[in-house]
C-alpha cells in the first residue's frame, strides 16, 4: 500500500487529502488544532506503511515539515 497526499498548513488548522493507492480510497479533512503533538498523533496512522508521500503547502512555521520527517 502507498499513500500520496498533501497538507495545507495554517495557524489554527491543517487541511489534508490523500489517496491510498492500494484501495483507491481518498480521504479529506482537517487536523485541529495545528500543533506538533496533534499532527504527530495523526501521522501515527501511517506507521508501518512503506511508501508515504505528502506535499506541504503554506508552512508559516515548522510544525509540518518537522513532524513529517519523523515519519520516515
Amino acid at each position: 500500500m502507498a499513500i500520496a497526499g498533501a497538507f495545507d498548513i495554517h495557524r489554527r488548522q491543517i487541511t489534508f487529502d490523500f489517496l491510498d493507492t492500494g484501495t483507491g480510497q481518498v480521504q479529506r479533512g482537517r487536523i485541529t488544532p495545528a500543533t506538533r503533538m496533534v499532527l504527530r498523533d495523526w501521522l501515527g496512522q501511517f506507521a508501518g506503511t512503506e511508501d508515504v508521500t505528502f506535499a506541504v503547502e503554506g508552512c508559516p512555521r515548522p510544525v509540518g515539515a518537522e513532524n513529517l520527517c519523523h515519519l520516515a
Side-chain angles (χ1 to χ4, degrees):
M1 165 175 77
I3 301 293
F7 288 114
D8 190 4
I9 300 176
H10 302 275
R11 290 182 187 262
R12 294 195 170 108
Q13 73 178 9
I14 300 169
T15 57
F16 68 87
D17 54 10
F18 66 87
L19 167 68
D20 180 331
T21 60
T23 65
Q25 182 179 10
V26 174
Q27 293 190 34
R28 293 182 175 95
R30 286 187 291 186
I31 303 166
T32 57
T35 64
R36 287 179 177 92
M37 201 62 145
V38 172
L39 178 58
R40 190 173 295 137
D41 289 345
W42 186 86
L43 289 169
Q45 69 183 302
F46 302 110
T49 304
E50 290 186 28
D51 187 11
V52 179
T53 305
F54 278 93
V56 179
E57 178 185 351
C59 195
R61 54 192 175 133
V63 66
E66 176 184 299
N67 287 303
L68 291 173
C69 290
H70 286 85
L71 186 61

